[in-house]
Amino acid sequence: MSILIRGGRVITGTDDYVADVLVEGETVTTIGRGLNADADRVIDAAGKYVLPGCIDPHTHLDMPFGGTVTIDDFESGHTSAAFGGTTCHVDFCIQGQGQTFGEALATWHAKADGKALIDYGFHIAVTDLLAGGTLEELASLPEQGITSYKLFMAYKNVLQVDDQTLFQAMQVAAGSGALVMVHAENGDAIDVLVREALARGETAPIHHALTRPPELEGEATNRAIQLARIAGSPLYVVHVTCKEAVEPIARARALGWYVWGETCTQYFFKSIDDLAKPDFEGAKYVYSPPARDASNHAVLWDAVRTDALSAISTDHCAFLWDGQKTLGADDFTKIPNGGPGLEDRLVMIHHFGVNEGRIGLNRMVDLLATQPAKLFGLYPRKGTIAPGADADIVIFDPAKEHTLSAATHHSKADYNLYEGTSVTGAVDVTMVRGNVIVENGELVAEPGVGQFVKRARFGEALA
Ligand code: URP
Ligand code: ZN
Ligand code: ZN
């Protein structure tokens, strides 16, 4: 099958030009003006943007967490992603207590098998190096294309690791070619603040944010940076929310250290005030780290514009408000942490970032596609549009207006973080390796078309 995408404005992380793009089989083969190809199908993209498919480096599909399981599995999650212009994601495979990494990965592969609509990889979330996976097994994972290790510095007695485990994983990564990712909040201090709050009878959702102050994100971020520096591993700090965490990352990067950070869509738009909404509505915004004081929105836009932060993910970790978030109706610590957003990232960043002049189009593509591909071993097969690259392509109509809502999104979540927000710019067509997945507002592919991607080691190209 060949497809000629005619006359669109091709926008990569660096370039912006009008051209035809010829897709043959799964790859882009030719780019040029007035291509005279005898393609099976021609898509007129005049007036539209032709973007590399977005890559979400941070999702939680079908994940047991907080006494329940995230509501989107690989089928509904991928459907939602495809409608939002995301063609590849890297999900967190969580090592259960006592489990080997191999056992955890077998569980995650089984979750995705037969359901995938977009391409996917896995990070391994290391939770237990004593009774479960060994350092040797961890070191071997890049051979299977698992080239990033995630460690949680928070969620005490659930996912949190101590500094010894974190440091040892960093030492392994330094030798194995993996990228270390951290959830940077000081879980021990948070635990004290949470117990004190509960003892005072403070049980409402707002206390989730009040017991996780930004200083504890800043402290853990700085600690992880210093530990990675000693261990000699590259470090990627996930879901950065505030000035206290941006500053140590910016400082390390200015020194040329191997440190990167991401933020997530919701942190540009939500604030601690959302957690104070009445009638338990605040629970919709309970995720960790929490939404901060609104002054941080400008800090984050500056950080992504100046490359202090290098990627924007969604941290899609969707729960129903009615039936899952309500587990914590009487106690904020029992509200499952996480929110939806896999579908909303491109349109929100395009509208409020590009249309409103905070970042340029190239930088938007860089943050949503190219940098995630480079950092997570997917480039140059993914994250750009070039001859030889996978034909993961989004045709985007920059003039189309629409309103975000749970009534129309494709996640199973019963709420949308941006409910009622009107944006200009919409996904017309999503293509994964030359397969059209979404067009004319319809899903037009069958589950199973998405493939597991064995990612390259950190800093290496994916052939
Ligand atoms: O609240 C969140 N972010 N839930 C997902 C797990 C994590 O910390 O990334
Ligand atoms: Zn996290
Ligand atoms: Zn997460």
Side-chain angles (χ1 to χ4, degrees), residues 389-434:
D390 284 357
D392 294 355
I393 292 176
V394 172
I395 303 178
F396 188 84
D397 183 346
K400 190 165 166 187
E401 295 176 6
H402 65 121
T403 300
L404 279 62
S405 173
T408 49
H409 73 194
H410 299 83
S411 161
K412 287 189 194 157
D414 58 357
Y415 68 98
N416 185 299
L417 288 177
Y418 315 106
E419 185 68 37
T421 303
S422 293
V423 292
T424 304
V427 171
D428 259 10
V429 176
T430 303
M431 198 184 283
V432 177
R433 279 176 292 98

Side-chain angles (χ1 to χ4, degrees), residues 21-311:
V21 177
L22 180 63
V23 174
E24 291 178 287
E26 299 201 332
T27 51
V28 172
T29 55
T30 317
I31 302 176
R33 288 269 179 110
L35 286 188
N36 200 8
D38 188 17
D40 299 321
R41 185 173 170 199
V42 177
I43 301 178
D44 179 10
K48 311 274 172 72
Y49 297 161
V50 180
L51 310 174
C54 296
I55 296 171
D56 195 335
H58 189 154
T59 60
H60 303 275
L61 300 181
D62 200 358
M63 180 182 81
F65 195 46
T68 182
V69 180
T70 57
I71 194 69
D72 280 318
D73 66 5
F74 279 76
E75 188 170 340
S76 63
H78 283 190
T79 304
S80 188
F83 276 93
T86 291
T87 54
C88 182
H89 72 122
V90 193
D91 201 72
F92 289 99
C93 165
I94 313 284
Q95 177 201 19
Q97 290 298 310
Q99 249 188 351
T100 65
F101 300 120
E103 287 163 352
L105 284 164
T107 305
W108 248 261
H109 277 294
K111 288 174 192 281
D113 278 348
K115 290 189 174 173
L117 284 149
I118 64 169
D119 287 353
Y120 59 96
F122 297 130
H123 314 285
I124 191 79
V126 178
T127 64
D128 178 7
L129 280 176
L130 295 174
T134 62
L135 294 173
E136 292 71 29
E137 193 192 5
L138 190 60
S140 73
L141 295 183
E143 287 154 31
Q144 300 173 43
I146 309 297
T147 54
S148 38
Y149 309 155
K150 161 92 177 268
L151 295 103
F152 291 90
M153 300 169 79
Y155 303 125
K156 195 168 172 62
N157 301 323
V158 184
L159 298 172
Q160 184 175 332
V161 296
D162 58 17
D163 285 352
Q164 184 172 343
T165 302
L166 172 59
F167 186 63
Q168 284 184 302
M170 288 172 164
Q171 288 181 316
V172 171
S176 71
L179 175 62
V180 173
M181 309 167 77
V182 285
H183 172 132
E185 288 185 290
N186 185 319
D188 288 333
I190 289 168
D191 188 56
V192 173
L193 296 178
V194 164
R195 282 192 277 116
E196 288 174 353
L198 291 177
R200 289 192 296 269
E202 295 167 352
T203 58
I206 184 65
H207 297 288
H208 172 75
L210 295 175
T211 54
R212 307 180 87 100
E215 290 81 357
L216 296 184
E217 185 181 335
E219 183 280 326
T221 302
N222 187 51
R223 182 163 28 114
I225 289 171
Q226 302 300 336
L227 291 175
R229 178 78 179 152
I230 300 167
S233 70
L235 178 72
Y236 180 93
V237 184
V238 302
H239 49 41
V240 172
T241 68
C242 56
K243 182 169 167 282
E244 288 78 356
V246 168
E247 281 176 351
I249 294 170
R251 195 165 50 240
R253 291 178 58 68
L255 290 167
W257 295 7
Y258 270 28
V259 173
W260 290 263
E262 72 171 21
T263 187
C264 314
T265 323
Q266 56 272 26
Y267 295 117
F268 294 107
F269 303 105
K270 299 297 158 192
S271 79
I272 189 164
D273 298 338
D274 288 294
L275 284 97
K277 286 185 174 161
D279 301 325
F280 200 60
E281 206 194 328
K284 294 178 179 174
Y285 309 93
V286 168
Y287 36 76
S288 298
R292 304 296 188 188
D293 181 279
S295 64
N296 285 288
H297 296 167
V299 172
L300 294 177
W301 283 115
D302 275 352
V304 294
R305 189 175 45 77
T306 59
D307 201 33
L309 297 179
S310 307

